[in-house]
Amino acid sequence: MAAALRHVTGTYGIAVIARDDPGKIVGARHGSPLVVGICDSEYVLASDVSAIIRHTNQVVYLDDEEMVVLTPQGIHTTTIREETVSKRVETVDWDLEKIEKAGYAHFMLKEIFEQPQSLRNTLRGRLLAEEGTSRLGGLNMSPAELRAITRVVITACGTSWHAGMIGEYLIEELARIPVEVEYASEFRYRNPILEPGTVVIAVSQSGETADTLAAMREAKRRGARVLGVCNVVGSTIARESGGGVYIHAGPEIGVASTKAFTSQVAALALLTLYLGRLGELSPELGAELTRELASIPDKIERILAGADKVKAIARAYARHNNFLYLGRGYNFPVALEGALKLKEISYIHAEGYPAAEMKHGPIALIDENMPVVFICTQDSAYEKVLNNMEEVRARRGKIIAIASEGDEHVATKADHVLYIPRVLGPLTPLLSVVPLQLLAYYIAVERKCDVDQPRNLAKSVTVE
C-alpha cells in the first residue's frame, strides 16, 4: 500500500482491509484527518474523535503522509516512504455523556443550551479581574513579541470566518492593531503580503478544516508567525501552529456550529484583552471587560429561558422562503451568522447585510412576504437602525427585532421583539446570536428538516 500511495495525488484519508488478510487494517492520510483509538483489547480507526470516544479516550493522531497498520496485537506507524514513526498517545478530555443528546430532540438544540457552560469553560482561569487583563499561556509569544505585532490576519471558513470578523472589530477597536479577515479558501490562492510583524490567526472548530489548514501552512511558508484558535486538542492546526488558544467548548456534534462560535468569539475577546493591556487599553476598561465577560454565561441563560417565544415566532414564519438579516457594527457579522444558520439547516434563502447597505440593492426585495431580522441593540448605530426599520415598514416587510432589555421604543417599529440583556457593546455578539440560533433551529424543526445532518454538509470540511 505504501508503494501505491507514493503515486497518489490529492487529499485522502483511507482505511483498507485486504480480503486475504482480514485481521489487519491499514490507514493513511494526506489532508484529511485520521485518528487511532487505543482500547484495552482492540484498536479503532476513525476520522474524528467523537466517533470513538464511547470506546476510549486514548488516541493517536496521524500526520500527513503517515500510515498506520492495526492488528489485534497493536499498531505500527510509518511514513508512506516506509520510515518508522514514533507517535505520542494523547488523552481526550471528553466523556460519553457529552456526545449524547441527554434528552434533547437534537444535538444542535443541546449545544445551543450548553453555551452557558461551554463559555464558562472557555473563560475559566483566564480572566484576571484585578489586573483587568487575561491569561493565555498557550500563545508561546513573549510580551515583547506581542507588542511588536503590527498587523493581524485572521483566516477561517464559514461560521469561524464570522467569529473572525468579530475578532477584527475587537482587536482594532480595543488593541488598536490593524486586522484583515480572509476566507481561507481564497487566501492561499492569492499572493498575500505578510510583512514582518504580521501574525496570522487560523480559526477552526475542528482544527482540521482543509482550506484553513492550507492557508496556515502557506502563511508559515512565507515566514509569518501563526496562532491557532480551535476546539479539538491534538488536531492538525493545534499541532502545526506556533501557539494559540483552545476554546474548550467540548464536543460539537451538530453540523451547524453554535457553541463553538460563541466560544471562538470569547477566545478572540480574551486575546484582544491581553493584547490591549500590553498596549494602550486602560486598566479601568480592561477591568470592565473582564467583569462583562464573566457575566455572559448567566445572561445567555436568561435568553434561553425565553426559548418558547422564539419557537412561536418560528412557527409563524417557517413557510417563508426568503429572509434578510441586518445589523451594524459588531452586529453585522451576527447578521451574517444568523442568515447562515437559517440556510444551513432549514434550506431557506437568507442573506445578511450591514443595515445601511439595504438601500443599495436589497430593499428592492422587500414586500409583505419578506421577513427582515434586525439586530437593533442600543449602541452608537441605534437611531440609524431604527430608520432602516422604518424603511422596511413602509414597504410592508415583516420585522423581527433583537433588542436590548427595557427598550420599549423598538416594539413600536417591529412585529416581534426578542430581548437580550444589556452588555458592553463589543461583547454584544455573544448574546445577540443566541436568539438567531434558536430561530433557525425551530424553523428547521417546523419544516421537518434533518437539523443535525443537513443535506450536502459535513461537520468538518476536510477536502476542497
Side-chain angles (χ1 to χ4, degrees), residues 92-111:
V92 180
D93 63 352
W94 297 352
D95 58 47
L96 185 58
E97 182 180 349
K98 291 180 180 178
I99 62 167
E100 301 294 346
K101 291 181 183 175
Y104 288 91
H106 298 92
F107 281 112
M108 182 179 177
L109 185 62
K110 174 177 177 275
E111 288 155 9

Side-chain angles (χ1 to χ4, degrees), residues 317-339:
Y317 289 94
R319 298 304 155 200
H320 287 73
N321 292 316
N322 299 281
F323 272 71
L324 281 178
Y325 286 72
L326 303 174
R328 296 194 71 162
Y330 284 95
N331 282 317
F332 163 48
V334 177
L336 294 175
E337 175 62 11

Side-chain angles (χ1 to χ4, degrees), residues 149-167:
I149 296 173
T150 57
R151 176 170 168 253
V152 172
V153 175
I154 299 175
T155 185
C157 301
T159 285
S160 296
W161 188 80
H162 298 153
M165 286 188 68
I166 297 168

Side-chain angles (χ1 to χ4, degrees), residues 201-382:
I201 302 175
V203 185
S204 166
Q205 186 282 137
S206 67
E208 302 288 354
T209 309
D211 285 317
T212 308
L213 180 56
M216 184 190 79
R217 287 170 172 166
E218 177 64 15
K220 288 177 65 177
R221 190 184 69 82
R222 291 170 178 263
R225 190 69 175 260
V226 176
L227 301 176
V229 175
C230 56
N231 191 32
V232 181
V233 175
S235 60
T236 305
I237 287 176
R239 296 197 308 275
E240 294 191 12
S241 58
V245 184
Y246 282 120
I247 66 174
H248 298 305
E252 189 177 66
I253 308 301
V255 166
S257 181
T258 52
K259 66 176 182 176
F261 171 79
T262 48
S263 285
Q264 286 170 345
V265 173
L268 290 168
L270 289 168
L271 178 60
T272 298
L273 183 57
Y274 188 62
L275 292 173
R277 291 292 288 118
L278 288 174
E280 299 177 2
L281 185 68
S282 70
E284 293 77 18
L285 181 52
E288 186 178 8
L289 280 163
T290 62
R291 289 193 299 271
E292 291 283 277
L293 271 169
S295 75
I296 293 293
D298 290 343
K299 289 176 177 177
I300 290 180
E301 286 179 343
R302 286 163 54 189
I303 296 170
L304 293 172
D308 284 346
K309 185 173 182 181
V310 185
K311 186 188 295 187
I313 294 171
R315 195 172 296 123
Y317 289 94
R319 298 304 155 200
H320 287 73
N321 292 316
N322 299 281
F323 272 71
L324 281 178
Y325 286 72
L326 303 174
R328 296 194 71 162
Y330 284 95
N331 282 317
F332 163 48
V334 177
L336 294 175
E337 175 62 11
L340 178 62
K341 284 290 147 293
L342 193 67
K343 283 184 277 196
E344 284 180 315
I345 62 171
S346 71
Y347 319 137
I348 292 173
H349 173 249
E351 298 295 336
Y353 284 92
E357 289 299 303
M358 179 184 68
K359 296 188 291 293
H360 298 273
I363 198 168
L365 298 171
I366 294 173
D367 59 17
E368 65 275 12
N369 296 313
M370 175 65 79
V372 183
V373 180
F374 279 93
I375 302 106
C376 185
T377 53
Q378 289 185 319
D379 53 26
S380 60
Y382 175 70

Side-chain angles (χ1 to χ4, degrees), residues 136 139-149 225 274-275 278:
L136 295 171
L139 297 180
N140 296 332
M141 295 179 70
S142 68
E145 289 174 314
L146 291 165
R147 288 191 184 96
I149 296 173
R225 190 69 175 260
Y274 188 62
L275 292 173
L278 288 174

